[in-house]
Amino acid sequence: MAAPVDLQQMMHTVVSRLTGPGGRFEIVEEEVRGNRMPVMRNRDRRIGDLVAASRQWGDRDYLVTADRRISFAEHADAVAALATALRDDYGVRKGDRVAVLAANSPEWVVTFWATQCLGAITVGLNSWWTPTEITYGVDLTAPRVIVADARRAELLARADVSGFELLTIEDDVPRIVAERSGSELPSADVDEDDPAVILFTSGTSGHPKGALHSHRNVLAVVDYHRYSDALVAAIHQRSYDDSVPGDNRYLLASPLFHIASLHNLAIPRLATGSAVVMTQGAFDVDKVFALIEQEKVTNWGAVPTMAARMLEHEDPDRYDLSSLTAFALASAPSSPALKQRLREKFPFAGQALVDSYGLTECSTAVAVATAPELEAFPGTLGSPIITVSLEIRDPFGERVPDGDEGEVCVRSPYVMLGYWEDPEATDASITSDGWLRTGDYGTIENGRLRLTGRRSDLILRGGENVYPTEIEQRLDEHPDVVESAVIGVDHEDLGQEVAAVVVLRPGSTAAEDDLRAFCAERLAYYKVPTVWRITQNLLPRNATGKIIRRSITV
């Protein structure tokens, strides 16, 4: 028993040194928009300042694709050129919106940074949207300029929108960067609580809402990643210095209009001098594995859908994936059974696999579980990250004892300003003392968060609360099940009954009776689905990998 105690003591010593008085990441209590909370003392105040600072990384790789390589110096020059044109030719000023409607590309990233240097607000429009959805997003945010790729420009032309200038990724942005070469990098006078970014919530039910993030929110995420790098270095008895660029190479495979790729990858790696290796086009396991091998990728944060496709690959051993030392699952729930299959098939997942819980409204993870924690406490999502306060509350807003179920509530410098142009939704989600009501339900067990489901997904069966996540995770343990979704359907006597849509592997002979018996082994009778649809067609998911429950029928 001495080793765990020694490790725990070592971690306490390291954290105290990093975050205590005089530490690089010293934590102090300050007032944030009327409420006192822990923040880092030594922090940046303007997102755009990171661009000028990144010139110190020079010719090192910042953005890498299968056929392009852009250094930090080249990127800063491109940002200066585009920002100058947005200001002088298109009238973009502090507080104006500049929207991006495009698939992942280096130009997407350059547009983000150019907008930030002007103190404008970057709007990440969902590149999967239809013209009707695009109309909604554009009408809501009223951008002065939209930067779109050719495919989305066609969709934009079919949308019922106007009042903006359109720049294309393929032609206009490269032309502007060339014409304005040598421009001085603009800088805007902004406060750290000024708005900076609008990213849309998943919109799994009803219209998506625009989560408005401040400079403080985004820069707090940057410092969280710096702190995490310093913590890892200290644990491995390596030195950490902000002025020395990081050698890790990060795979960006999720859409940039999501916090996982923008706030937690592209932005912080400009600050740390690390390479961002970007996939383009639809997710293809072979192309991704080849890129990991080619670019010696060390870190990858994948959504569970990607992980499931990895598991289906017949011969991953033909790729050299040995460079991967960190592999995280995020953006959507994943079962312990999925994690175990990953460990069994991919050697890098054994000690590298971590899981987390976060949401767009919080800018980054709320809690993170390390590989040892996932093994020792399966199904939990770890402890709150640095400067995050987390409580489980009852319907009256009162904190419940550990072990009791309630709504997950969070307060931190990462929590958004609110929902753009939606004060009612903001007031319903953020309390007067700064606590975000996530709408997720869970418990705290030994300081670790365990989710039980979404409030909106709750099934009320004959007076009993049934959370789909618990049943879905049980179904995921069945060897013939690829994925599943559990929903409530109307019932005359019970109010609702439990229904399951189950996707089976090709060639499976599992039947409804088999699946029902499998669930009944570990679930109370009222949780066992009574309505079934068995299929081999994958479930509908949004761009962040979450199941679109409103599209599921039995």
Side-chain angles (χ1 to χ4, degrees):
M1 295 297 291
V5 174
D6 290 346
L7 179 61
Q8 191 174 34
Q9 181 60 45
M10 183 193 75
M11 286 293 294
H12 178 75
T13 301
V14 168
V15 170
S16 296
R17 176 168 55 82
L18 292 174
T19 64
R24 166 62 183 85
F25 303 97
E26 180 181 354
I27 302 298
V28 295
E29 190 177 89
E30 292 184 6
E31 187 170 293
V32 177
R33 301 176 63 229
N35 296 294
R36 296 192 67 80
M37 65 182 67
V39 297
M40 289 190 186
R41 181 191 295 277
N42 306 309
R43 62 185 188 273
D44 296 304
R45 264 57 172 188
R46 302 183 298 188
I47 296 171
D49 290 347
L50 298 180
V51 180
S54 73
R55 288 190 183 277
Q56 67 182 307
W57 312 131
D59 293 333
R60 292 175 60 88
D61 289 342
Y62 173 40
L63 301 174
V64 178
T65 69
D67 56 3
R68 297 173 67 186
R69 198 171 296 274
I70 300 171
S71 72
F72 285 92
E74 291 168 335
H75 170 262
D77 289 342
V79 170
L82 182 58
T84 300
L86 289 173
R87 181 192 63 196
D88 296 348
D89 299 342
Y90 299 97
V92 175
R93 298 291 185 267
K94 176 183 176 180
D96 288 340
R97 273 77 64 205
V98 175
V100 187
L101 180 62
N104 288 358
S105 69
E107 285 74 21
W108 205 118
V109 178
V110 169
T111 302
F112 168 81
W113 288 110
T115 304
Q116 296 305 308
C117 288
L118 297 173
I121 301 171
T122 311
V123 180
L125 296 173
N126 189 320
S127 63
W128 288 16
W129 277 350
T130 64
T132 300
E133 292 167 314
I134 291 170
T135 298
Y136 166 79
V138 172
D139 283 347
L140 180 68
T141 57
R144 180 176 288 273
V145 176
I146 298 179
V147 179
D149 58 24
R151 179 180 172 186
R152 279 79 188 180
E154 291 181 2
L155 295 175
L156 194 59
R158 291 159 49 194
D160 184 19
V161 290
S162 61
F164 56 85
E165 297 283 350
L166 175 64
L167 300 177
T168 59
I169 290 279
E170 294 86 353
D171 298 321
D172 292 329
V173 174
R175 172 184 55 79
I176 289 170
V177 169
E179 290 175 353
R180 293 282 187 164
S181 176
S183 296
E184 183 177 344
L185 186 69
S187 179
D189 183 17
V190 297
D191 183 81
E192 63 181 326
D193 287 313
D194 282 344
V197 188
I198 298 172
L199 296 182
F200 286 85
T201 59
S202 299
T204 51
S205 61
H207 278 307
K209 296 186 286 290
L212 180 62
H213 299 138
S214 66
H215 288 260
R216 181 196 299 275
N217 295 154
V218 176
L219 290 169
V221 177
V222 172
D223 281 332
Y224 163 62
H225 284 280
R226 284 172 168 154
Y227 166 76
S228 297
D229 291 348
L231 188 62
V232 170
I235 291 171
H236 291 89
Q237 299 183 331
R238 299 193 304 263
S239 61
Y240 174 82
D241 186 341
D242 283 356
S243 65
V244 177
D247 288 329
N248 287 340
R249 301 175 71 81
Y250 294 79
L251 185 71
L252 193 161
S254 298
L256 277 161
F257 55 77
H258 181 55
I259 60 167
S261 289
L262 185 61
H263 291 16
N264 291 273
L265 209 168
I267 296 174
R269 295 312 149 196
L270 186 85
T272 63
S274 307
V276 174
V277 180
M278 185 183 302
T279 65
Q280 294 182 276
F283 182 79
D284 181 284
V285 177
D286 283 293
K287 289 181 179 179
V288 169
F289 283 175
L291 195 59
I292 292 172
E293 179 180 63
Q294 173 187 317
E295 294 297 332
K296 299 294 184 277
V297 169
T298 59
N299 297 61
W300 180 15
V303 300
T305 308
M306 296 175 183
R309 293 183 188 176
M310 290 164 55
L311 289 169
E312 294 170 5
H313 197 283
E314 294 181 355
D315 186 21
D317 290 339
R318 74 171 186 260
Y319 299 97
D320 180 5
L321 306 177
S322 60
S323 61
L324 273 175
T325 56
F327 181 70
L329 291 175
S331 302
S334 58
S335 66
L338 174 67
K339 297 181 182 73
Q340 185 55 35
R341 289 198 292 270
L342 285 168
R343 294 187 192 100
E344 291 170 355
K345 186 161 185 174
F346 297 100
F348 62 78
Q351 293 302 314
L353 181 62
V354 300
D355 201 354
S356 63
Y357 164 66
L359 55 163
T360 304
E361 289 85 346
C362 286
S363 305
T364 188
V366 170
V368 174
T370 63
E373 284 181 302
L374 291 175
E375 293 254 28
F377 306 98
T380 60
L381 292 164
S383 304
I385 68 169
I386 190 169
T387 69
V388 167
S389 300
L390 185 152
E391 292 183 358
I392 306 297
R393 294 183 170 184
D394 64 20
F396 303 101
E398 297 296 326
R399 183 174 183 172
V400 302
D402 287 0
D404 286 4
E405 184 181 77
E407 185 176 13
V408 180
C409 296
V410 179
R411 186 168 71 176
S412 76
Y414 311 111
V415 171
M416 66 174 183
L417 297 173
Y419 295 113
W420 180 261
E421 297 293 312
D422 197 341
E424 289 186 5
T426 299
D427 290 344
S429 296
I430 302 178
T431 66
S432 59
D433 54 352
W435 286 87
L436 175 73
R437 301 182 59 190
T438 67
D440 289 319
Y441 272 51
T443 62
I444 295 293
E445 303 172 6
N446 299 315
R448 296 174 179 85
L449 174 65
R450 181 187 296 274
L451 291 185
T452 53
R454 287 286 299 174
R455 177 176 54 190
S456 56
D457 297 336
L458 179 67
I459 301 169
L460 295 173
R461 181 199 178 279
E464 296 287 351
N465 291 347
V466 178
Y467 290 97
T469 300
E470 181 183 11
I471 305 167
E472 290 164 357
Q473 292 193 349
R474 174 57 179 159
L475 285 167
D476 285 350
E477 294 174 2
H478 193 288
D480 288 342
V481 173
V482 175
E483 59 181 357
S484 65
V486 172
I487 59 175
V489 295
D490 292 340
H491 188 276
E492 185 175 353
D493 295 324
L494 298 171
Q496 287 183 303
E497 60 182 330
V498 182
V501 179
V502 181
V503 181
L504 296 180
R505 302 185 188 285
S508 169
T509 59
E512 179 180 318
D513 288 345
D514 301 318
L515 297 171
R516 184 183 293 109
F518 185 78
C519 288
E521 290 176 358
R522 294 192 187 176
L523 298 174
Y525 77 93
Y526 63 88
K527 298 178 183 178
V528 176
T530 52
V531 179
W532 297 81
R533 180 161 69 86
I534 298 174
T535 179
Q536 289 189 345
N537 297 321
L538 294 176
L539 299 173
R541 293 179 181 268
N542 63 21
T544 60
K546 295 187 177 74
I547 293 172
I548 306 174
R549 293 185 184 273
R550 69 173 183 268
S551 300
I552 295 173
T553 59
V554 291

